[in-house]
């Protein structure tokens, strides 16, 4: 509240969301404890179990087999669960698959938490707080981002009189309230670029920085790379379809419960808005990358070999039904769930250079 007061008592929603999530002291993601995972407010694929990292390990072994040891960049690496479990799954042979791991995490608390966990890792691990700090190298590089984009500040607009009004947040006597203002030109330009017209009263959000952020992610991979972006989202025509999402996609999460009032308890609840995949496609077009696929998480995992991974661990169809098998199958089921993560989360796979051919041969097959 004091920060909003300092800014004249009113801020664009984008600025409010930036403060609520990333204020160095009061921001939701600035605390000492990770906010996600089983004991947190929401599950992500990397924190739900070891199965997502295990499947990535299998995929990386296949890619490196055809190329050479890869560099792995995990952007928004959070509490480091993914890197930790990935290295565990690769085991003693990690060095044959990975030449280097770069962990990109904005939160200083999470970076130091990772340092403790990953001390003595079998491959060199480097930490940076921003994608710009990754630096390009000659090795084929996999860049990965799980729920990076849906954790970025967004602008919020409402359809009025055939045009757009932008929502700002202002201090009221009792707390926080909404204020409608003429949409700024960069906001109008974003929706015009995507050919979006909102109907009267329709709410919508936009991450104006998504294209630039994704360009920097692709840039970090250099000329021979694979990008795996795991997130919640739709293409513009579905994201902004008033029949499906007339109220926008902005949501709050607390203790695995979804809420719709983003002004309630700033800094204590997660704030998230869906990705517009067209922005990430536009970034790839500018950078000269091609698309391998945009698949629901379940389909991506099947393509990347989750069935073989279960078999290899003796947990396939033939497995005896003991506690270990049942637990493993429950964990896998959560990732494949057609009414949950398995279909709501998508994986956008893009590639450039030699990696594009290799990734196509590993992932793009007819079922
Ligand atoms: C929803 S969490 C996802 C964490 C992890 N990837 C996972 O799936 O479990 C979002 C994370 O992104 C980090 N983050 C947000 N913007 C970032 C940026 N520009 N660069 C690096 N990390 C960022 C936040 O600090 C937070 O830890």
């Amino acid at each position: 509240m004091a920060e909003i007061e300092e800014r004249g008592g009113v801020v664009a929603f984008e600025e409010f969301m930036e403060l609520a999530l990333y204020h160095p002291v009061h921001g939701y993601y600035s605390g000492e404890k990770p906010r996600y995972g089983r004991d947190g407010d929401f599950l992500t694929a990397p924190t739900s179990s070891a199965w997502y990292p295990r499947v990535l390990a299998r995929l990386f072994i296949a890619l490196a087999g055809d190329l050479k040891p890869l560099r792995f960049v995990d952007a928004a690496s959070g509490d480091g669960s993914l890197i930790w479990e990935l290295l565990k799954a690769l085991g003693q042979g990690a060095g044959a698959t990975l030449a280097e791991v770069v962990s990109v995490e904005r939160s200083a608390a999470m970076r130091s938490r990772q340092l403790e966990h990953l001390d003595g890792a079998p491959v060199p691990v480097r930490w940076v707080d921003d994608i710009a700090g990754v630096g390009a190298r000659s090795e084929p590089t996999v860049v990965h981002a799980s729920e990076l984009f849906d954790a970025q500040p967004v602008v919020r607009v409402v359809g009025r009189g055939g045009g757009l009004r932008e929502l700002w947040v202002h201090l009221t006597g009792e707390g926080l309230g909404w204020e409608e203002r003429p949409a700024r030109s960069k906001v109008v330009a974003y929706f015009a670029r995507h050919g979006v017209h909102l109907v009267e009263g329709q709410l919508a959000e936009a991450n104006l920085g998504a294209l630039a952020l994704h360009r920097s992610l692709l840039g970090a991979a250099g000329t021979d790379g694979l990008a795996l972006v795991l997130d919640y989202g739709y293409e513009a025509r579905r994201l902004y379809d008033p029949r499906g999402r007339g109220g926008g996609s902005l949501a709050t999460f607390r203790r695995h419960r979804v809420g719709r009032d983003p002004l309630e308890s700033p800094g204590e609840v997660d704030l998230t808005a869906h990705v517009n995949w067209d922005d990430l496609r536009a970034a790839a077009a500018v950078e000269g990358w091609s698309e391998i696929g945009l698949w629901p998480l379940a389909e991506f995992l099947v393509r990347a070999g989750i069935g073989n991974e279960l078999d290899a661990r003796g947990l396939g169809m033939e497995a005896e039904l003991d506690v270990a098998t049942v637990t493993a199958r429950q964990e896998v089921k959560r990732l494949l769930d057609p009414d949950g993560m398995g279909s709501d989360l998508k994986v956008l796979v893009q590639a450039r250079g030699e990696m594009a051919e290799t990734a196509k041969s590993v992932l793009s097959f007819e079922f």
Side-chain angles (χ1 to χ4, degrees):
M1 302 281 184
E3 285 73 20
I4 299 179
E5 204 163 357
E6 274 165 28
R7 289 166 164 84
V10 58
V11 289
F13 180 73
E14 191 183 29
E15 212 178 324
F16 167 79
M17 190 163 166
E18 169 71 29
L19 288 168
L21 293 181
Y22 299 110
H23 182 278
V25 180
H26 307 295
Y28 179 78
Y29 283 119
S30 304
E32 295 292 320
K33 278 181 73 182
R35 298 296 203 149
Y36 25 83
R38 288 180 202 203
D39 302 326
D41 290 324
F42 57 98
L43 276 180
T44 61
T47 56
S48 81
S49 69
W51 286 95
Y52 178 75
R54 282 175 187 164
V55 175
L56 284 196
R58 177 168 279 274
L59 173 64
F60 292 0
I61 290 169
L63 296 173
D66 272 21
L67 301 158
K68 54 183 173 172
L70 314 167
R71 191 164 67 124
F72 175 54
V73 178
D74 191 20
S77 52
D79 65 359
S81 300
L82 173 69
I83 298 174
W84 170 255
E85 292 293 347
L86 177 79
L87 292 175
K88 209 160 117 189
L90 290 170
Q92 294 303 317
T97 304
L98 296 180
E100 185 196 30
V101 173
V102 187
S103 173
V104 190
E105 174 49 56
R106 185 174 174 174
S107 152
M110 289 307 109
R111 288 197 308 277
S112 53
R113 196 181 175 93
Q114 291 186 28
L115 264 168
E116 280 169 33
H117 267 299
L118 292 162
D119 191 28
V123 298
V125 183
R126 198 155 55 84
W127 283 268
V128 292
D129 63 357
D130 189 80
I131 291 158
V134 173
R137 281 207 352 207
S138 58
E139 289 101 351
T141 297
V142 178
V143 288
H144 173 270
S146 160
E147 300 204 36
L148 162 69
F149 288 93
D150 76 354
Q152 300 306 308
V154 290
V155 295
R156 198 170 204 212
V157 295
V158 58
R160 294 280 182 234
L164 292 178
R165 301 275 290 172
E166 198 176 334
L167 293 176
W168 287 55
V169 177
H170 74 110
L171 290 173
T172 65
E174 296 96 61
L176 296 168
W178 295 106
E179 187 175 308
E180 282 184 27
R181 291 190 168 193
R184 289 169 292 172
S185 54
K186 61 179 181 180
V187 178
V188 174
Y190 178 92
F191 285 94
R193 193 164 65 247
H194 288 286
V196 175
H197 302 282
L198 301 188
V199 300
E200 187 65 22
Q202 182 183 350
L203 288 167
E205 297 80 27
N207 174 355
L208 303 187
L211 192 149
L213 180 61
H214 195 46
R215 281 190 69 182
S216 63
L217 201 60
L218 299 178
T223 52
D224 191 8
L226 182 77
L228 301 170
V229 179
L230 176 65
D231 228 311
Y232 293 93
Y234 295 100
E235 290 149 343
R237 75 187 156 79
R238 281 196 64 195
L239 184 60
Y240 299 118
D241 184 342
R243 292 164 300 182
R245 244 157 299 280
S249 70
L250 190 65
T252 65
F253 279 90
R254 185 187 234 168
R255 309 290 323 149
H256 301 272
R257 291 202 161 182
V258 67
R260 293 284 168 201
D261 182 0
L263 303 188
E264 202 185 291
S265 315
E268 287 166 38
V269 294
D270 180 36
L271 285 178
T272 172
H274 283 6
V275 174
N276 173 357
W277 293 118
D278 292 336
D279 285 331
L280 277 55
R281 284 181 164 153
V286 179
E287 295 291 326
W289 286 55
S290 54
E291 184 166 321
I292 309 292
L294 173 61
W295 295 302
L297 175 61
E299 185 176 341
F300 168 77
L301 290 171
V302 170
R303 290 179 180 278
I306 197 164
N308 297 339
E309 187 61 26
L310 276 162
D311 286 340
R313 290 176 182 267
L315 295 162
M317 299 298 277
E318 312 292 309
E320 206 177 304
L321 265 192
D322 54 14
V323 176
T325 310
V326 172
T327 308
R329 286 190 184 163
Q330 274 169 345
E331 289 172 349
V332 168
K333 206 170 128 198
R334 195 182 301 124
L335 289 175
L336 300 181
D337 186 359
D339 293 318
M341 266 191 197
S343 77
D344 295 348
L345 268 173
K346 308 276 188 318
V347 186
L348 175 65
V349 185
Q350 297 166 321
R352 185 177 175 190
E354 234 182 290
M355 187 74 100
E357 284 317 304
T358 312
K360 252 185 238 156
S361 69
V362 176
L363 294 168
S364 291
F365 51 85
E366 295 291 324
F367 281 138

